[in-house]
Every structure is written in structure tokens, then in C-alpha cells.
Amino acid sequence: MFQIHYLNKISQQGTALWTEDFALTDDMETADGIVLRSANMHDMELPENLLAVARAGAGVNNIPLTTCADKGIVVFNTPGANARSVMELTLCGMLLGSRDIIGGVNWVQSIKDDPDIAKKVEKGKSRFAGHEIAGKKLGIIGLGNIGGPLANRARKLGMEVYGCDPHISVEAAWNLDGHVQRMKTPEEIYATCDIITVHVPLLKETEKMINASALSKMKDGVIILNFARDLLVDDDAMADALSSGKVARYVTDFPNPKTANMPGCIAIPHLGASTEESEDNCARMAVREMMDYLENGNIVNSVNYPNCDMGVCQSEGRITILHHNIPGSLGRFTAAIASENVNIAGLMNKSRGEYAYTMLDLDHHPSAEVVEHLKEIEGVVRVRVIR
């Protein structure tokens, strides 16, 4: 029986999927798996028996990935499960940035008790006039689960769409509207487009990618959208660009003390993935990932270990090994098993940076001696006997 602990409220669409082999626990110390959304795990003491963490969402900034990897804790996320919700809100942000809808609504609220409100509206509405998005040039940096579908929707709305993504997958490229124009660098997007939106992960090389230098390369009056990660944009540089008129409007889904008080900025309260459908999709995916790993040892959508999937074990035994990516490790594992006269029916070994994962299907259930032998090999973090 596997013990599961929730750090946040998880949609019932996901929690209903647990089988009789899983039980919920309020005690994190006894948990084999943790499921969460936004709870911060960085200051938590992780239990020694914890095997996996599943984030019902895409971002994992709230989880200590390296610490987990070093302890043999596999961390999962749910890429694409909330993509439609984020994409739709980005479309909304594009309209909010192009037309002063919020300013107009707030003005109406300020005169709502005036008996002559209808006349005042007709007289004063011109100050909130904006621009249509049809015919405008939209630049999308990142054409993955959100950026790709956004490009296709924008094309149907009559926009000229330019995309930049050096790491685009073959599947994403096949699904892209044939009229989306390819740009090789973000700088080409900056120089060409009227509206620019970023949909990339937060990495060292992308942190504050929208900075003073990038902004200087853009058209005057550009609209910038950020529904990906707060720190992709340099807030100080953005404040200066809004003040000078270089940027007409900045729409972000990440309010902070700077953006919430920044003239020209529309700060939305992190609603990108906050729809019932998105939360349901994320919960279902997170629970399925967790069950598959705990029951079968399969890793799908991990962010700190390589994906490795051998399906349901059809052999008498299965061993999985989380280990550091040290040359010759696989040979040491197979030699250790062979020394016990156990035949390997199937295996899979994959690496990801400093870490690797090996799955071994055996003709016989592994003995305690085999398991202890594997644990003693250099670089091994955790050994699990699946069956």
C-alpha cells in the first residue's frame, strides 16, 4: 500500500483515480508520494522514504529539484495539461493590451451613479479607443504547448504571426499553421513585431531576457505579454520603457510590488492555469504519473530524472536504479545481477545531465543480496524492487 500526501487541495477529477493500492495520509513523514500545486517545498525536510513528488502544473520553481534528485526522489510535472487555459488568457491579454478595456470599465464604475451616464459615455469613450489585432504582427518566442496553439489561433484572427523556437519538437512543428513565419533569433522578433509574447521556461539563459537591450531593439509602441514566468522580464527596464512610450502596454500574469504599481502595466492575478478544466487536467495527469512510477517504475514527464518507460512488467522481477551519470555504471549493474545467476529479460538505461535511470526486467524475483550489491555500486542513489 502506497501512502500519498497532498500539500494543496487537488481536484477530485484526479484524486478519484487512485486505486485500492493507494491511501491518503495526513502525515508527510510516512508518504511515499507527494502531490502539490503551489506549496513551497524548499524549506521542508524531505522524508527519507519519499519516492516521488508530482506537481499538478508545469512550473516547478517551488520544488528543490537537485535536492530531490540527490535523495532519489523523482519529480514530475504536467506539461500541456493547462496549455489551453494559458493560451486563451494570452489571447485575452492581447486584446486588453490593444484596447483600453480595463480603463474604460473602471471609468464607467466611477460614474455609475450619474443619471446622465449614457450621455457621458458617448462623449468620453474616445479616450479609451484602441487598435484591432487583425493585420498586426504577432511575435511568439517559444512554440511549444502554449505558443504553438496560440500561433494557430492568432492566424485565424487575421494576424501576421512570427515564431522563434530553436528547440521546437517535430510534433509541434507539424501542428503549426503553415503561414507562421519562422524567425531564427528573438532579435528578429523584436525588430519586426507589434505585439510580442514569451512562452519559454525560466532558465539562467532566459532570466530577464526582456531587458533594456531587448527593449531598445523593439518598435516604438510595442505591446508585450508575459504569461510564462515572472522573471523573464526585467521589471525596472520595463518601467522605463513604459514611461518613455517605447512600450505601449505590458500585460503580465505575475503581479509583484513593482508591476502592480507600474503605470501602463496590466497585472492579472496569476490566472493562466486557473480554470476548472486546467486544474482537472493537471490533477489527472499528476496522479497517473505518480501511480505509474510507484507501481511500475516508469518515469514520464520528470523534471529531474530522464524519462524511461518499459510499460507493465511481464517478467518475474523488475529492479529500478536511480543513479549518477557515471561511465560504466550499466556494466556494473548487469555484472552484479549476472553474479547471482539471474538472467536479464529486458533493460532500459537513460541519462539526463548528472543523473541517470536504469530499469531491469529479470527472469526471477531479485534476491536481497542482489539488491544490496547494487546499492553499494558507486553513484547509486536509490534501488527499488518493483516486483
Side-chain angles (χ1 to χ4, degrees), residues 135-246:
K136 298 299 185 295
K137 296 178 179 179
L138 172 65
I140 304 174
I141 302 174
L143 294 167
N145 292 321
I146 298 168
L150 174 65
N152 295 341
R153 295 297 195 283
R155 278 286 308 146
K156 291 181 179 180
L157 291 172
M159 303 186 78
E160 291 184 33
V161 181
Y162 300 79
C164 174
D165 190 339
H167 306 295
I168 188 171
S169 68
V170 173
E171 182 179 1
W174 273 110
N175 290 326
L176 206 58
D177 186 298
H179 291 90
V180 175
Q181 301 183 54
R182 178 192 175 198
M183 294 293 196
K184 294 183 179 180
T185 66
E187 284 72 22
E188 292 180 271
I189 295 282
Y190 300 155
T192 304
C193 297
D194 307 303
I195 303 171
I196 296 172
T197 181
V198 290
H199 298 281
V200 298
L202 178 61
L203 307 169
K204 286 184 179 180
E205 56 267 32
T206 60
E207 184 172 348
K208 294 187 178 181
M209 62 179 291
I210 305 298
N211 51 32
S213 175
L215 290 164
S216 69
K217 298 178 175 67
M218 298 180 189
K219 291 182 176 182
D220 292 341
V222 66
I223 295 169
I224 298 177
L225 312 174
N226 179 13
F227 289 84
R229 290 291 179 268
D230 188 11
L231 294 179
L232 295 175
V233 175
D234 183 330
D235 288 339
D236 292 331
M238 181 60 71
D240 291 341
L242 285 166
S243 178
S244 69
K246 181 69 177 182

Side-chain angles (χ1 to χ4, degrees), residues 14-137:
T15 60
L17 298 178
W18 297 117
T19 67
E20 60 185 11
D21 294 322
F22 295 83
L24 301 183
T25 177
D26 292 330
D27 183 6
M28 190 175 79
E29 292 300 314
T30 66
D32 299 295
I34 288 176
V35 183
L36 76 159
R37 292 170 59 204
S38 59
N40 188 349
M41 294 188 66
H42 284 280
D43 297 326
M44 293 181 181
E45 190 69 30
L46 301 178
E48 288 299 319
N49 59 297
L50 183 63
L51 299 175
V53 173
R55 160 79 161 97
V60 289
N61 295 339
N62 55 325
I63 303 170
L65 302 183
T66 302
T67 300
C68 286
D70 287 337
K71 288 179 173 289
I73 302 168
V74 179
V75 179
F76 299 91
N77 70 343
T78 57
N82 58 15
R84 183 186 297 273
S85 293
V86 178
M87 182 274 293
E88 289 182 356
L89 191 63
T90 305
L91 283 175
C92 174
M94 197 184 310
L95 292 168
L96 293 177
S98 299
R99 305 179 67 174
D100 192 8
I101 299 168
I102 291 179
V105 170
N106 290 339
W107 176 62
V108 168
Q109 287 299 301
S110 72
I111 60 172
K112 63 182 179 180
D113 296 325
D114 192 317
D116 293 326
I117 185 172
K119 292 181 179 179
K120 287 193 173 183
V121 163
E122 290 306 313
K123 185 177 180 180
K125 67 181 182 180
S126 61
R127 78 182 81 168
F128 306 106
H131 302 279
E132 295 181 358
I133 61 173
K136 298 299 185 295
K137 296 178 179 179

